[in-house]
Amino acid sequence: MTNTNTNTNIINSISGSTKIYGVIGDPIGHSFSPEIHNAVYSLTGERAVYVPFNVKKDGLEAAVKGAYSLGIKGLNVTLPHKKEVIKYLRGLEGDSGLIGAVNTLKYTEKGYIGYNTDVTGIEYSFSTRGISLKDRTALVLGAGGASDALCAALLKNGAKRIYIANRTFEKALALKELLEKSYNTEIIPLSLEEAEKVGDADIVLNGTTLGFGKNSGLSPLSEAFFSRNRIEICFDVIYTPWETRLLKDAKEAGAFCINGFDMLIYQGAASAEIWLSKKYDESFLNKLKNNLKEQFLTTQKGN
């Protein structure tokens, strides 16, 4: 499957009855979500199209209200709007209420309802590899929307202890207090500098942007951290570059590493399931992932 074939199918199918979906964020040009959702529509024959919308912080309310007035049936929400968008919604469902972050909006007659499928994407990333999160001691890096979802996935699946390390300690503490409303698991907030002293974690999960974009080549942890500790698994929500400095250091120290690409695909498919009231089986999800992975890596090589 190529970009050209997918786009041709979309163009040929657009009419007055075509449903419109999209993603809002800032920046948005790097988003791979249009490729994911338009591939879903192409593979399943849905009369729908998915487009990116660049929305600044001060234009968020107007964007949500405008999208609703235009009848846009669903929106994904990415940085920096995952928390702020909640105040403009009719209500919350599922994991979004637990962690106070939303990445999916579904159109209803009285307004958009917010969901969080990032948690589902994270869970799939581990379960499809036969990795259990039960009884893990985890070090989660960051306290923003992505880290909220990482913590929720850990808590839902029986993690024993979670360290939350963030550049601003107060945000790590606030996330701990939010999560403790629903779970009794031991949660320890730290500054990012204090993360270097954690010695009992067996899994590291990065929800920061260190390693992405202008921060490419950087890592929230030192190479020495992995040399000192026996980390079994390292997960990074970043997928561009394919292997971040964090993952490279972890792999060299013997950890099994997973980037954020599978999470991206599975959370996108979960959003489509919410919008279209459908359930995709494992065979379809694997076909979607494999096609898109080939397309994505080919595009990366061409840049």
Side-chain angles (χ1 to χ4, degrees):
M1 183 179 66
T2 66
N3 263 326
T4 301
N5 290 339
T6 301
N7 289 338
T8 299
N9 289 339
I10 293 167
I11 292 169
N12 290 339
S13 70
I14 291 177
S15 69
S17 62
T18 300
K19 294 178 181 178
I20 300 174
Y21 301 91
V23 57
I24 59 174
D26 182 34
I28 203 64
H30 69 282
S31 176
F32 196 63
S33 290
E35 282 82 355
I36 297 171
H37 287 273
N38 288 319
V40 170
Y41 307 150
S42 179
L43 288 169
T44 59
E46 294 288 343
R47 297 187 65 83
V49 64
Y50 184 105
V51 292
F53 300 101
N54 193 89
V55 175
K56 302 290 184 183
K57 281 186 176 182
D58 59 2
L60 180 59
E61 180 178 8
V64 173
K65 290 181 177 178
Y68 185 80
S69 296
L70 289 169
I72 293 177
K73 297 302 180 182
L75 288 170
N76 283 134
V77 183
T78 188
L79 296 173
H81 305 314
K82 290 187 177 185
K83 292 179 179 289
E84 188 69 15
V85 75
I86 290 174
K87 66 177 67 173
Y88 308 120
L89 306 181
R90 180 192 168 212
L92 300 175
E93 293 287 344
D95 295 318
S96 60
L98 164 65
I99 61 180
V102 161
N103 80 325
T104 300
L105 311 185
K106 181 177 182 178
Y107 185 98
T108 72
E109 290 185 358
K110 295 184 179 180
Y112 284 121
I113 298 291
Y115 297 78
N116 193 304
T117 65
D118 284 337
V119 179
T120 301
I122 294 162
E123 290 176 323
Y124 269 121
S125 296
F126 289 105
S127 65
T128 55
R129 291 174 169 84
I131 298 172
S132 173
L133 297 176
K134 185 175 176 57
D135 295 327
R136 296 281 183 185
T137 294
L139 171 58
V140 176
L141 304 167
S147 297
D148 293 358
L150 292 170
C151 289
L154 288 162
L155 291 168
K156 286 178 64 182
N157 289 276
K160 179 174 66 175
R161 180 182 301 112
I162 300 176
Y163 295 95
I164 302 174
N166 191 62
R167 182 175 56 84
T168 306
F169 173 79
E170 287 74 18
K171 286 189 69 175
L173 178 60
L175 179 53
K176 163 192 160 71
E177 292 172 347
L178 174 65
L179 296 170
E180 283 182 335
K181 293 178 181 178
S182 302
Y183 291 91
N184 294 322
T185 304
E186 183 181 11
I187 302 173
I188 304 168
L190 305 168
S191 68
L192 202 53
E193 291 77 16
E194 290 175 314
E196 291 286 332
K197 301 176 183 178
V198 173
D200 60 338
D202 51 57
I203 181 171
V204 170
L205 305 98
N206 180 40
T208 77
T209 57
L210 287 173
F212 170 71
K214 65 181 180 180
N215 294 317
S216 182
L218 301 179
S219 173
L221 291 174
S222 69
E223 183 179 358
F225 172 87
F226 292 100
S227 300
R228 291 192 304 267
N229 297 285
R230 296 186 63 182
I231 303 300
E232 295 179 22
I233 300 163
C234 187
F235 179 89
D236 199 329
V237 298
I238 297 170
Y239 56 91
T240 306
W242 192 257
E243 184 179 63
T244 59
R245 174 66 181 275
L246 178 78
L247 292 182
K248 187 177 297 184
D249 290 344
K251 184 171 71 174
E252 289 178 355
F256 182 81
C257 295
I258 308 169
N259 71 9
F261 189 76
D262 283 15
M263 172 188 171
L264 177 73
I265 300 302
Y266 292 130
Q267 65 80 25
S271 293
E273 288 178 336
I274 289 170
W275 295 331
L276 303 170
S277 299
K278 296 192 175 180
K279 186 69 178 177
Y280 301 118
D281 61 25
E282 187 174 345
S283 175
F284 176 85
L285 292 173
N286 285 336
K287 179 180 180 181
L288 177 69
K289 184 182 77 170
N290 291 334
N291 286 352
L292 288 169
K293 181 178 179 180
E294 180 181 353
Q295 175 183 323
F296 178 78
L297 291 177
T298 300
T299 302
Q300 292 299 297
K301 289 178 183 177
N303 290 339

